[in-house]
Amino acid sequence: MNNLLEVQDIHTFIGQFHILEGVTVGAPEGGIVALLGRNGAGKTTTLKSILGLTPPSQGRVVFDGQEIQGRASYDIASLGIGYVPEHRAIFRDLSVGENLKIAERRRGDLERKEELIFGLFPDLKRLIKLPGTSLSGGQQQMLAVARALVPDNRLLLIDEPSEGLAPVIIESMMEAIRQLSGDSTILLVEQNFIVASRLAERYVIIEEGRSVKAGLMADLVDDHETIQRYLGAA
Amino acid sequence: MIDVLRKNRVQLITLIALGLFFLFASQGMSSKDWVVTMLRGLAVGAITFLVASGFSIILGLMDVLNLAHGALFMVGAYLGWSVYVRPDTFMDLLTPLALVGAGFALSPLWDYWLTQLSLRPALPRTWPWVGLALSLALLGFTLARAPMAAWNPEAYAESPIVWTQAFEQGKLAAMIQPATFDGIPPWAGLAGMIAGGLLLAISLAGFRRARRGEGTLAPPSWGRPLAIFVLLLIAGVGLYLVNDPLTAFLLGLNTTWLFLIAALVATLAGAGLGALMEMTLIRPLYERAIYQIMLTFGLAFIITEMVRSTWGRSGFTMPKPSLFAGTGEGCPATSLGGWLQNHCAIIMVEIGGETARIRTYNEIFVTLVGLVVLIGVWLLLQRTRLGMIIRAGVQDGEMVEALGINVRRVFTLVFALGVGLAALGGVIAAPATGLSISMGASVLLAALIALAIGGLTSYPGAAAGAMLVGLIQQFIIKYGSIGIQLPFMAEPFKPSPTVAPATTVLLMVVILLIMPQGLFGRKE
Amino acid sequence: MTTPSRSDGRAVRPEKRSFIARWLADNGLLTAIVLALALLPFALALINGQSIASLVVNESGSAKFIQGLLIEVYILAVFAISYDLVLGVAGLLSFGHAMFFAVGAYLTGILLKNFGWPLWMTLLAVIGAGVLQALLFGVVLPRVQGITFALVTLGFAAVFDIMIKSRELAAWTGADVGLQGIPRPDLLNPNTQRLRFYFVALAFAVAVYLFYRRFVNSPTGRVCVASRENPDRAKMLGYNIFYFQLAALTIASITAALAGMLNALYKPIVSPEIASLGFTVDGLLMVLIGGIGTLSGAMVGAGVFRLMDFYFAKWFGENASFLIGVIYVAIVLFLPYGIVGTWQRRSISRRKGWRRLLWFTRES
C-alpha cells in the first residue's frame, strides 16, 4: 500500500520515561485516520514524535517517501505537515490575523487561502483584529485549525479538536474537518469515540505506548469487545 | 472601564504611589532642581533601557538569563572608545579580520569536499590537529608582525588615559605611526594571513567531519561563498593599501561623524559577538537552565578580565563628539536652536527664577537615543514578521517551530540584536559616564531591577522599569546633596551616594512582593 | 567524603558487629580523609624538620601557614555546603547566600568589639540571627518562585551589602575598609592557638557534614529532594513543600552564619567582600566544581576553589581570575555534575549493574 505517512515501530523517551514503546501507524493519501486509546496511552506523543517535537529514538517515520525521523521540527513541518495541538496554543500576544499570518511559509499564502478559511470559519473574519486571548474556546479551536490550513499542508495532525467544546460547535468543527479531508490527509487524536467514529475511515488503537490494533472504522464500530477493552465504556 | 480598573487595581495603586512620590519630590526641591533631576533620571533610564530591552527579549524568547549582558555593554563602550580615540588601531584590525575571515567564508565548501574525500581511518582524527597547530603557528607569526597600533595600560605614557588627552588636545595625528609590516615584506604578511585563515577553516571543518562521522552532504551552492571570499580578499588587501590615508581621513573627520562610526562598529561587533556566543556556548545548554545562568555568569567574569587586561584596570573618559562639546562663542546656549547653531555642551534654561544647566549630551542626546531605540524595537516587534515570531516564540517556541519556522535561527538573531543594543548602550553611555571595568556590573544590576519591576519579559515593562530605576536613583542622589525632610526628624536626612542603589533594590523587593509578576507582567 | 553506600551487601554482613564497626565500614573514606586532615599539620611539621612540640607552642613556619590556608578551606566548605543545601537539595535558586555568611561575621565582630559580649552569648546571637534570616527568606518564599525568588534574594543581599558599605553605619561596620580590631577570645585565638583553631574548624566542618547528611537522608530531606524534582507530585502526595524548604533554609542559614562567625574570629579584618554578590558567586563556583546536590561535593569544591585561587594568584598574578573564569565555564560545559557528582554517577551505575546481575542469578 502506498501510504503518505508511514510510522514504523517508533520508540520515544521523554526525559527518562519510555513513553512510546513501538507505535506503527499508516495513513493513506486522503482520508482520516483516528488514533484511539485511553488518557496517557501515548497518542499526543505519537503526533509530536512525527513532527520531531519529541524525536523518536528508534524506528522510522516516512512521509511522502522520505525518512524524516531525526530531522529538525521546522524542517519536517515545512515538508507540508500542519499541527493543531491539544490546547490550541493560540499566540495570545498576536491578533487573530497575525496568528494566521505567522503560519505563512511563503509570502501570500494567507491571501490564497482566505476564501477556504473564512468559508469554513466565517466567525474568524470578523474577529481578525482582536487579540488571540479574547476568543472563546470554540473560536480558539477554529483558529488553531485555520492556522494549520494557511500553508499548503498535505498532512494535518489534529489533537483533540472536540475537547471542551459545546455540542453545536463540535458539529461544525466535524463538518470542517470532513471538508478538509478532501484535500489533505488527516491524523486525528480523539477521546470522544462517537466523534472519531463518525469522522474517520481508519483507526489505530494505542495502549501503553504500543499500537495494538488497527483497521477500518466500520469494523470497529460493531466490535464491542475491542471497544470495551481498549477504550473503556463507549 | 470599571472592570479594567478592578482588574489592574494593584498596578494602579502602585502607579499612584509612584506618582505621589514624584509629586512629593517636586514639593521638596526647587522646580529647577526637579526638572534637571527628572532629565538626568530619564537619561540614566535610557541607558538602563538599552541593556534591559535586549535582556528581556532574550529572557522571554529563550529563557536565558544572560548575566553577561552587562559585561557586553562594557565591551561596547570600550570598543567604541577604541574606534573613536584610536582610529589607527581600528584600521589595523580590519585587514587581518577580513583576510582570516575569508577562509571561513568557504566553510560550506570545505564541509562538502571533506565528505567527498576518502581518507584512511586514522587520518580524519589526526590531521585536523596538525592543521590547527600549523595554522595557529602561521597566524601567530604573521599577526605578530602585522601593523598593529595599540596602547599599553601598564605604562602611563602609553595608557588609554594619555591617548584620550591627546585626542582632546588634537595631538593625536602627530602621535600615530604609519602602518608597516615588521621584518617581513607586506605581500608575505598578507599571504600568511590568507593562508592561515584558510588552513584554520579547513581544520575546523575537519573537526566537524570527525564528529559527524560518515555520511554525505548535499552539494552546497558555489556562488555565494566564493563571492564573499573574493570580496573579503579584496577588502582586506584594499584596506591595507589605503590604511594610512584612511586613518588620516578618519582623524581629520568631524568627531560627530567619527562617533557615529564608532557607535555603528561597536553595535555590529556586539551583535556579532552575541551571535557567536549563542551559537557556540549557549546553544548546547538550552535544556539545562541553571547551567546557563552559571555559564553566562562565568562569561561575564571572563569578559571583564579580558577588558581589564586589554584596556587596564583604571578607568578613563571618552571625549564628547563635537556636536555636544562646544564651549566657545554663543555658549552656553539658551535654547535648543542656540545649541544646534553653536554645538554647545550646555544649555542654560530659566526655570522658576533659577537657571538650570542642562548638558546637551548627558541629558538630551542620551535620552533621545533611548527613545529612538524604544520606538525602533517596538516597531520591529509589532510590524515585522521577525517581531511576530519573537512575540509568538516568547509564549510557545515549540508551536512556532511546529509551524515550520526555524526558531534556532531566530534565537541567534535575537541574541545578536539584544547584545548589539547593549553594546550600543555602552558606546552611548561612555562619553557621559566614562569607562571603567565596573560599569558592566552596575548597569546589569540596574537592568535586572528594572526588569523585575516591569515584569520580566514584558517590553513596555522593561521601558517603564528602566525609567523608574533611573528617576529614583537620580532623585535619591539629589536628596543626598540637599537633604530630605523626614517626619519626626529635626535635621534633614542626607542619604549618602552609596545608599541610592539600595532604594531601587528595595523598591524592586517591595514591588515583587506585592506583585510577583511585576508591573506589566502576566500572571501565569 | 562521599555519601555512604547503603545499598548492597549489608544484609550479608554479620549482625554481631558493633555500631562503631558498622559505621566505620560505611564511612571508610570519610574517616580516612578526616584522619589524614587531622594528622596533616604534624606530618607537615615533620617534613619541614620542625618538632611536634614547636607546633603545639605555635611556632610560625610553613606548617602554620598551611594550617591557616586549610582553616579557610574548612570555613568555605561549610559556607559551600550550606549553599548546596539551598540550591541543590531544596532546589531554591537563591542569590543572597553571601548575606547568610556575612551576617554571622559582622554580628560576631560588632558584638565582641562594640558591645564586649562574651563568646557564648555571641554564639547564641549568631544562631538567632541565622533563624531570623531564614524567616525573612521564608516570608518571601510562598509568593515568588524561580527567577523572581533569585531576584528578591539578590535584592535582600544587595541591600545588606550596601548598608554595610554605607557611610551611615561606618562606626560599626568600618564601611569599605572592613571591620577591624575584633578582640580575640583567649580560648580561640588564631594567632596564639593556631593548632587548636585548626581542630575546631575541622571538627566544625565534619560535624556540619554529618548533620547535613543525616538531614538529607531523613524523611524530611527526602521530601525536599522530591519536591525539587517534581513539585507537583510532592504537593499531590500531601506534603507542604514550604515547610521543608523553610527547614532547609533555616539549617543553611544557621550553619552559614556560624561559618561567618568562625571567619570573623580567624581573619584580622572582616572584609565587606563577603557580603557582595561576588562571594555568592564564589559559593556557586565551589558547589559547581564539586557537583550540585551532592553535599560532599560542595566541600571538595571549596577546597579545590581556595587552593586554586591561592596558587593561581601566586603563579599567574593578575591573570589568575581570568583562568578561574575559563575553568568555571569549562566545568559548566564539560563536567556539569562536578567532581563528586560525576564520580557518584559512575559508582551508582556500577552498583545498579551489580544489582541487576544479582537479580538475574536469583531468578534463573
Side-chain angles (χ1 to χ4, degrees):
Chain A
M1 195 164 53
N2 235 350
N3 281 346
L4 177 68
L5 175 77
E6 191 78 66
V7 177
Q8 289 166 356
D9 194 32
I10 55 167
H11 289 242
T12 301
F13 287 81
I14 296 180
Q16 46 185 323
F17 300 107
H18 200 164
I19 305 288
L20 298 187
E21 310 180 20
V23 169
T24 301
V25 176
E29 182 106 45
I32 304 178
V33 178
L35 291 183
L36 304 172
R38 292 199 175 87
N39 260 337
K43 301 177 303 259
T44 299
T45 309
T46 305
L47 295 192
K48 287 190 166 185
S49 298
I50 293 170
L51 257 184
L53 292 172
T54 54
S57 57
Q58 239 186 84
R60 299 194 325 144
V61 181
V62 181
F63 176 71
D64 197 19
Q66 298 181 59
E67 282 197 24
I68 57 170
Q69 76 276 8
R71 286 166 70 168
S73 296
Y74 71 89
D75 205 11
I76 296 175
S78 328
L79 294 173
I81 300 181
Y83 180 45
V84 182
E86 194 174 357
H87 299 292
R88 289 114 198 201
I90 297 305
F91 301 119
R92 54 182 180 224
D93 283 346
L94 271 58
S95 71
V96 171
E98 285 176 321
N99 261 291
L100 293 173
K101 192 93 184 152
I102 194 174
E104 282 190 338
R105 271 184 217 131
R106 270 171 301 149
R107 202 174 277 275
D109 271 349
L110 182 56
E111 272 117 71
R112 285 190 291 112
K113 293 296 186 68
E114 242 171 11
E115 213 169 309
L116 169 75
I117 290 170
F118 295 140
L120 284 172
F121 309 111
D123 270 9
L124 291 181
K125 188 158 190 160
R126 81 190 150 77
L127 300 169
I128 199 101
K129 287 246 163 15
L130 290 181
T133 27
S134 58
L135 302 186
S136 71
Q139 290 163 339
Q140 286 195 19
Q141 187 65 60
M142 289 174 198
L143 181 54
V145 174
R147 188 171 58 186
L149 295 180
V150 172
D152 293 315
N153 282 326
R154 298 178 58 195
L155 174 69
L156 295 178
L157 310 175
I158 305 183
D159 201 350
E160 302 274 2
S162 73
E163 194 191 19
L165 298 186
V168 190
I169 301 173
I170 294 182
E171 281 302 323
S172 61
M173 184 60 65
M174 280 170 66
E175 187 48 43
I177 291 174
R178 202 170 288 136
Q179 277 191 39
L180 289 174
S181 67
D183 298 326
S184 40
T185 310
I186 294 176
L187 191 57
L188 180 75
V189 167
E190 185 53 71
Q191 280 282 332
N192 186 334
F193 182 65
I194 299 172
V195 172
S197 62
R198 283 172 55 194
L199 277 174
E201 293 97 53
R202 300 175 165 276
Y203 72 92
V204 176
I205 293 177
I206 297 178
E207 169 90 353
E208 290 182 350
R210 289 193 180 84
S211 49
V212 288
K213 213 162 161 51
L216 291 174
M217 193 53 103
D219 301 336
L220 181 66
V221 177
D222 300 323
D223 189 351
H224 293 289
E225 194 199 331
T226 309
I227 295 177
Q228 195 67 34
R229 181 160 165 218
Y230 293 114
L231 309 175
Chain B
M1 182 66 199
I2 291 173
D3 207 40
V4 174
L5 284 182
R6 194 177 304 136
K7 258 188 200 157
N8 299 313
R9 61 181 186 280
V10 187
Q11 276 91 337
L12 284 171
I13 291 170
T14 318
L15 286 179
I16 290 170
L18 289 169
L20 283 176
F21 169 80
F22 289 114
L23 193 73
F24 169 72
S26 71
Q27 300 305 307
M29 56 175 71
S30 70
S31 41
K32 168 214 122 191
D33 281 348
W34 191 78
V35 168
V36 171
T37 313
M38 270 310 250
L39 280 175
R40 281 189 191 164
L42 287 178
V44 173
I47 295 293
T48 311
F49 172 72
L50 285 177
V51 176
S53 57
F55 194 100
S56 125
I57 297 175
I58 290 173
L59 178 64
L61 186 64
M62 357 187 171
D63 284 327
V64 175
L65 197 67
N66 181 20
L67 295 176
H69 223 70
L72 293 162
F73 164 88
M74 176 177 72
V75 168
Y78 278 89
L79 284 180
W81 176 88
S82 307
V83 176
Y84 186 62
V85 175
R86 297 297 306 275
D88 54 329
T89 309
F90 168 57
M91 288 305 304
D92 289 347
L93 269 174
L94 286 179
T95 300
L97 268 179
L99 292 183
V100 175
F104 285 87
L106 294 180
S107 277
L109 299 184
W110 302 140
D111 280 338
Y112 175 67
W113 281 336
L114 285 177
T115 56
Q116 301 299 98
L117 225 63
S118 55
L119 291 167
R120 266 180 295 139
L123 269 173
R125 299 210 164 275
T126 45
W127 75 259
W129 289 105
V130 178
L132 185 71
L134 268 179
S135 64
L136 289 183
L138 188 58
L139 284 177
F141 179 80
T142 39
L143 290 181
R145 282 155 187 76
M148 188 67 239
W151 50 87
N152 180 5
E154 308 293 326
Y156 181 76
E158 295 169 61
S159 68
I161 303 171
V162 172
W163 283 103
T164 308
Q165 282 167 1
F167 179 92
E168 279 173 328
Q169 294 157 0
K171 291 183 195 156
L172 202 58
M175 288 171 74
I176 283 174
Q177 317 275 323
T180 45
F181 276 93
D182 181 22
I184 48 172
W187 62 265
L190 295 175
M193 286 178 207
I194 299 170
L198 283 172
L199 200 52
L200 187 62
I202 296 174
S203 314
L204 292 183
F207 283 118
R208 281 200 291 275
R209 158 132 170 89
R211 203 178 53 187
R212 209 172 31 226
E214 290 306 309
T216 49
L217 286 174
S221 62
W222 282 70
R224 244 177 73 173
L226 264 182
I228 298 175
F229 175 72
V230 172
L231 254 168
L232 281 175
L233 278 191
I234 294 173
V237 176
L239 280 169
Y240 171 71
L241 294 177
V242 297
N243 187 324
D244 290 330
L246 209 54
T247 303
F249 167 74
L250 284 177
L251 280 173
L253 210 60
N254 185 320
T255 50
T256 307
W257 290 113
L258 192 56
F259 182 75
L260 272 180
I261 294 173
L264 194 69
V265 170
T267 310
L268 290 180
L273 209 61
L276 198 69
M277 220 173 105
E278 198 274 341
M279 285 193 283
T280 55
L281 294 172
I282 311 269
R283 192 170 285 178
L285 294 180
Y286 277 123
E287 313 294 318
R288 297 181 291 180
I290 194 168
Y291 292 100
Q292 248 170 20
I293 296 180
M294 295 174 189
L295 176 85
T296 55
F297 220 115
L299 283 179
F301 199 72
I302 294 179
I303 293 170
T304 311
E305 283 305 316
M306 285 170 100
V307 168
R308 182 194 55 68
S309 68
T310 315
W311 283 275
R313 187 175 290 285
S314 44
F316 45 91
T317 58
M318 178 157 163
K320 293 189 172 95
S322 60
L323 185 58
F324 310 96
T327 49
E329 185 94 0
C331 286
T334 49
S335 66
L336 280 179
W339 159 52
L340 283 175
Q341 208 170 3
N342 299 311
H343 302 166
C344 293
I346 289 167
I347 300 181
M348 297 284 214
V349 188
E350 199 84 4
I351 296 169
E354 285 176 284
T355 326
R357 290 173 84 252
I358 296 169
R359 288 166 295 179
T360 48
Y361 187 92
N362 292 30
E363 272 103 52
I364 296 175
F365 177 69
V366 170
T367 314
L368 277 181
V369 171
L371 202 65
V372 167
V373 170
L374 173 71
I375 295 169
V377 174
W378 189 80
L379 285 177
L380 173 85
L381 284 176
Q382 297 297 326
R383 295 290 155 85
T384 65
R385 182 166 170 82
L386 178 65
M388 202 154 76
I389 294 171
I390 293 173
R391 277 182 295 144
V394 166
Q395 182 196 333
D396 189 345
E398 196 177 68
M399 189 60 222
V400 175
E401 191 154 7
L403 290 174
I405 294 162
N406 186 349
V407 177
R408 286 289 159 98
R409 198 157 64 200
V410 177
F411 281 10
T412 311
L413 264 175
V414 166
F415 216 91
L417 174 79
V419 175
L421 282 180
L424 174 68
V427 193
I428 300 298
T433 62
L435 299 100
S436 71
I437 52 170
S438 64
M439 68 193 288
S442 52
V443 84
L444 178 72
L445 188 66
L448 267 177
I449 295 169
L451 286 183
I453 291 175
L456 287 171
T457 60
S458 147
Y459 184 70
M467 209 180 67
L468 273 179
V469 167
L471 284 174
I472 288 174
Q473 227 179 56
Q474 289 305 309
F475 271 102
I476 297 295
I477 289 173
K478 188 71 202 166
Y479 277 121
S481 62
I482 63 173
I484 188 168
Q485 199 67 53
L486 287 179
F488 313 116
M489 276 177 86
E491 290 276 302
F493 171 67
K494 288 189 178 177
S496 63
T498 41
V499 178
T503 40
T504 49
V505 172
L506 270 182
L507 177 76
M508 169 187 88
V509 170
V510 169
I511 286 191
L512 283 183
L513 289 181
I514 304 170
M515 296 177 280
Q517 75 282 9
L519 279 176
F520 291 80
R522 205 182 293 271
K523 264 189 198 132
E524 287 305 321
Chain C
M1 279 192 269
T2 169
T3 39
S5 62
R6 295 167 172 279
S7 52
D8 49 37
R10 214 177 174 193
V12 192
R13 214 174 281 145
E15 285 299 317
K16 276 180 288 182
R17 282 218 234 161
S18 71
F19 170 76
I20 295 172
R22 248 186 300 152
W23 194 88
L24 279 179
D26 274 348
N27 297 288
L29 186 60
L30 173 66
T31 318
I33 290 173
V34 172
L35 270 179
L37 287 174
L39 292 176
L40 189 69
F42 304 104
L44 279 172
L46 287 179
I47 291 167
N48 292 327
Q50 285 175 293
S51 68
I52 301 287
S54 77
L55 193 71
V56 176
V57 298
N58 193 50
E59 195 173 278
S60 52
S62 80
K64 183 178 177 184
F65 175 77
I66 297 282
Q67 281 175 53
L69 199 59
L70 283 176
I71 289 171
E72 284 179 30
V73 168
Y74 301 149
I75 293 172
L76 286 178
V78 173
F79 172 65
I81 199 175
S82 69
Y83 198 16
D84 193 26
L85 186 69
V86 175
L87 199 71
V89 178
L92 294 169
L93 191 58
S94 158
F95 276 150
H97 206 73
M99 182 173 105
F100 285 0
F101 186 84
V103 163
Y106 271 92
L107 197 63
T108 306
I110 292 169
L111 288 181
L112 287 178
K113 183 184 163 194
N114 299 45
F115 294 88
W117 284 24
L119 195 59
W120 66 272
M121 270 171 70
T122 312
L123 182 73
L124 289 181
V126 167
I127 293 176
V131 174
L132 282 180
Q133 286 181 88
L135 286 179
L136 175 70
F137 277 39
V139 169
V140 180
L141 198 51
R143 291 200 60 88
V144 290
Q145 268 98 37
I147 288 177
T148 321
F149 182 75
L151 288 176
V152 172
T153 50
L154 178 87
F156 282 143
V159 170
F160 180 73
D161 185 27
I162 291 164
M163 270 164 46
I164 286 215
K165 287 181 191 150
S166 73
R167 212 168 52 196
E168 281 84 349
L169 296 175
W172 287 290
T173 63
D176 286 343
V177 187
L179 185 50
Q180 301 181 58
I182 303 167
R184 314 274 159 202
D186 295 331
L187 206 64
L188 207 61
N189 190 327
N191 300 320
T192 56
Q193 300 281 359
R194 177 66 59 95
L195 196 62
R196 186 187 284 171
F197 205 100
Y198 179 87
F199 282 119
V200 168
L202 177 61
F204 176 55
V206 173
V208 165
Y209 171 69
L210 290 175
F211 177 72
Y212 270 46
R213 206 179 66 186
R214 185 81 196 78
F215 175 73
V216 172
N217 284 330
S218 72
T220 313
R222 284 182 195 283
V223 172
C224 236
V225 176
S227 67
R228 181 198 64 200
E229 248 128 56
N230 192 344
D232 294 330
R233 192 155 148 250
K235 226 176 264 172
M236 261 189 287
L237 289 173
Y239 292 108
N240 192 340
I241 318 167
F242 168 68
Y243 289 105
F244 299 116
Q245 287 181 333
L246 189 62
L249 266 179
T250 312
I251 292 174
S253 166
I254 292 174
T255 36
L258 287 176
M261 179 176 184
L262 215 52
N263 181 69
L265 292 175
Y266 175 68
K267 288 275 187 75
I269 298 175
V270 177
S271 142
E273 283 286 296
I274 59 166
S276 68
L277 182 60
F279 194 60
T280 302
V281 175
D282 286 352
L284 196 63
L285 186 52
M286 296 174 211
V287 172
L288 200 70
I289 291 177
I292 294 180
T294 56
L295 294 186
S296 53
M299 301 190 112
V300 174
V304 173
F305 174 82
R306 184 66 192 101
L307 297 178
M308 204 163 72
D309 201 31
F310 176 77
Y311 285 105
F312 276 22
K314 200 166 152 189
W315 297 331
F316 305 108
E318 278 229 271
N319 295 323
S321 31
F322 175 72
L323 270 174
I324 288 177
V326 172
I327 289 174
Y328 177 91
V329 168
I331 286 177
V332 174
L333 284 174
F334 301 111
L335 204 67
Y337 303 106
I339 298 171
V340 174
T342 309
W343 190 72
Q344 275 183 357
R345 277 180 171 252
R346 292 240 170 94
S347 66
I348 281 172
S349 63
R350 199 176 58 217
R351 219 182 292 155
K352 261 189 194 155
W354 275 111
R355 206 176 295 157
R356 223 172 281 140
L357 194 69
L358 290 173
W359 176 82
F360 177 74
T361 47
R362 200 169 47 211
E363 287 293 294
S364 56

